Amino acid sequence: VHYSIARCGAYKLHVALRHESVELPGSPFALTVTAGPASAVATTLPADALPLTGEVGPEKDGQTSRQHKQTGCHCVMRALDRMGNQCQVGGASVVTRCDDAHGRVTCNAVDLGDGRYHLKWSSTVSGVHRVSVTIDGEPIKGGPFILHLTSGDPDVSKTELSGSGLTKVVAGKPGIFNILCRDRYGNATPPGSSLRFELSLLPAPEAVLQSTKMLDKSLMSRRRQESSLGTILRTGRDDDVDVGLALGAATGLASQA
C-alpha cells in the first residue's frame, strides 16, 4: 500500500475493506505528517526582508557603540520542503555567497536548529552586490538577490576638502571649494540634516606680520616728526608765525596754519 500526503498535520488513518466498509483491526490509526527535508526549489527569502539593505560595518561589530544600530544586513530564512511545508528541524546545508571578486563582503549562514537559518552579510565597503543562497548546493527560489550596503554617519576626521577656493580667490568673485564627507571606513556619505558647516576668514600670519611692520614704520616716522617739532620749539623763536609754520610742517597740517 502506498499513499502520499502533501500537508503536514495530524490525521486519522482509516484502513478498511473497500466493499464491506469493515475497519481492519487497529483502524483508525493516529497519523502525524511531518515536513520533509529542506528544498531549494520551494524555499526563498521572506518578502519583508527584500530588498536586502543594511549599513556598512565589520562582521563582529553587531552594533555601533554610538547609536546602537545593527550593522550589515540580516535575514532569517525559514526552509520549506518540496511540498511547501515549513521545516521544523535543521540540518540542511545552507550556504550564502557574494559575487564580490575582492572578497570584501563577509557572508554567514547559521543553523538555528528549528528549520530557520540566520543569514548575514557585512562589509566595510558600501555598494551594491549580488548574493546567492543555496540549499545542498542548489540555489533557492528567487535568487540571486541584490544587496545594498549603505555608508555610515559622517566622520569629521575623514572629511576631504578640495578646490581652488581654498588657496586662491579673485577679489569680488565667489570662492568655490568642495567638501566630501566620509564615514569611519572611508566611504563617501551624505552630510545628513544634523551636520552644519561654517566658514570664517582670518588674516594669515604673514599678513599680520606685514601689517605689524607697516604699523611700526608709521610709529617710527611719527616719532621722528615729533622729535623734529621739539627741536623747532626749543629754538626759542619769538615769531609766533614761524613757530606755527614749523609746527604745521612737522605734523603734515601746514594748510591749517
Side-chain angles (χ1 to χ4, degrees):
V1 177
H2 299 276
Y3 70 96
S4 175
I5 300 178
R7 295 300 176 189
C8 296
Y11 298 88
K12 290 291 186 179
L13 177 62
H14 295 265
V15 182
L17 296 177
R18 182 174 183 181
H19 297 289
E20 290 79 3
S21 298
V22 177
E23 297 268 355
L24 295 183
S27 179
F29 298 89
L31 177 67
T32 301
V33 180
T34 59
S39 170
V41 296
T43 303
T44 189
L45 298 183
D48 59 1
L50 301 175
L52 298 174
T53 59
E55 185 176 304
V56 293
E59 177 185 359
K60 296 182 180 180
D61 187 13
Q63 291 182 335
T64 60
S65 58
R66 182 174 52 183
Q67 297 184 350
H68 301 287
K69 292 190 302 183
Q70 197 172 46
T71 60
C73 179
H74 301 253
C75 172
V76 176
M77 180 187 73
R78 168 71 73 174
L80 305 179
D81 67 8
R82 68 186 185 91
M83 303 306 297
N85 299 295
Q86 293 186 353
C87 298
Q88 302 300 319
V89 296
S93 176
V94 175
V95 178
T96 178
R97 295 184 176 88
C98 180
D99 66 352
D100 180 22
H102 302 286
R104 298 170 298 181
V105 179
T106 301
C107 307
N108 285 311
V110 178
D111 188 346
L112 300 180
D114 58 359
R116 298 179 303 153
Y117 298 83
H118 182 260
L119 308 176
K120 178 182 179 181
W121 302 271
S122 58
S123 176
T124 57
V125 180
S126 62
V128 178
H129 308 278
R130 283 159 50 99
V131 297
S132 62
V133 182
T134 60
I135 297 178
D136 295 330
E138 295 294 327
I140 66 172
K141 183 173 62 176
F145 304 91
I146 298 299
L147 169 65
H148 187 196
L149 292 176
T150 60
S151 54
D153 295 329
D155 186 334
V156 176
S157 66
K158 304 289 186 179
T159 304
E160 297 179 4
L161 287 83
S162 62
S164 60
L166 294 171
T167 56
K168 187 177 181 180
V169 66
V170 177
K173 300 292 184 178
I176 301 175
F177 62 93
N178 302 313
I179 299 177
L180 176 60
C181 295
R182 295 187 180 275
D183 63 16
R184 58 176 172 162
Y185 307 111
N187 301 295
T189 186
S193 58
S194 61
L195 196 62
R196 293 289 186 271
F197 298 96
E198 66 178 16
L199 180 66
S200 60
L201 188 64
L202 299 174
E206 296 80 2
V208 173
L209 179 60
Q210 182 67 22
S211 178
T212 302
K213 290 181 178 179
M214 293 177 64
L215 179 60
D216 290 343
K217 290 181 179 180
S218 177
L219 290 175
M220 291 177 63
S221 175
R222 181 176 178 181
R223 287 171 183 170
R224 284 195 296 267
Q225 291 172 354
E226 292 176 350
S227 176
S228 175
L229 173 60
T231 301
I232 295 173
L233 293 176
R234 284 194 297 272
T235 58
R237 293 182 179 178
D238 295 331
D239 190 344
D240 292 338
V241 177
D242 292 342
V243 173
L245 290 175
L247 177 60
T251 60
L253 300 175
S255 60
Q256 296 182 8

